[in-house]
Amino acid sequence: MNRKLVIIFSALYVIFMAILAVYYFKNGVTFKSTVAIGGIICGAIPLLLALFTKLQFNLPIVISYLIFLIGSQYFGSIRGWYGLGWWDTFMHLVSGAILAFSGIALYERLIHRNAGDEISPWFVFLFTLSFAALGGVIWEIYEFSCDQFLGMTLQGGGNKDTMTDLVADTVGGLVIAVWAGIRTKIKLNKSN
């Protein structure tokens, strides 16, 4: 059932963004049509994973991801909420948390089942935090590259914007990493 819901929700987002892309393209609004095309690509990721791979993320992560896309792409870029000043930082805080949860899900799928009884809570904490922070760094490299090579202005505030975004990503990831470390420690104490 989760797989079907992932397909349905992802397909709805892709269709929504496709409609926006056509609408804005026909009306000559290039920036918004480009964002909507990016929305199609981003929304298609969980859809393609659900259809063509065995790697399945749980429904709450996928729904959180799609809500994040709505917040960043639709409200942030298309509706102009990034102009509010605080919206970008809030979206980075949320993305850090989502990346951390994704890191936990990936970690749980990649480790050997028996290893869970011997994994240090500190390792889980560091892995989760590092995964979230790396996601933020990769995003900032993307923004920097678009600004340098495509003449865009994704890093509107320059170094201050980049560092604020990285701090927000890290704080979002840190909150979830602390929770993951504590959860692992509790599981280890119960099994001993």
Side-chain angles (χ1 to χ4, degrees), residues 52-164:
F52 300 113
T53 71
K54 291 183 181 183
L55 179 64
Q56 301 293 317
F57 286 99
N58 62 31
L59 190 59
I61 288 177
V62 174
I63 289 173
S64 299
Y65 172 71
L66 293 172
I67 290 170
F68 172 76
L69 291 181
I70 291 167
S72 65
Q73 294 173 328
Y74 179 69
F75 287 111
S77 294
I78 292 174
R79 302 292 294 168
W81 286 19
Y82 281 130
L84 298 174
W86 58 271
W87 189 254
D88 182 48
T89 304
F90 175 69
M91 285 286 96
H92 276 277
L93 186 72
V94 170
S95 72
I98 293 171
L99 283 165
F101 277 123
S102 300
I104 292 168
L106 189 63
Y107 158 82
E108 288 175 349
R109 282 164 181 72
L110 293 177
I111 64 163
H112 189 274
R113 292 284 176 217
N114 295 336
D117 296 335
E118 299 178 24
I119 295 291
S120 164
W122 282 106
F123 176 79
V124 174
F125 168 81
L126 288 172
F127 179 82
T128 304
L129 178 61
S130 299
F131 194 87
L134 177 63
V137 168
I138 290 170
W139 180 257
E140 292 304 317
I141 290 170
Y142 163 76
E143 284 187 354
F144 175 78
S145 299
C146 287
D147 289 357
Q148 294 299 308
F149 302 118
L150 302 175
M152 300 173 82
T153 57
L154 298 177
Q155 295 176 304
N159 187 45
K160 183 178 179 188
D161 174 71
T162 299
M163 292 312 299
T164 302

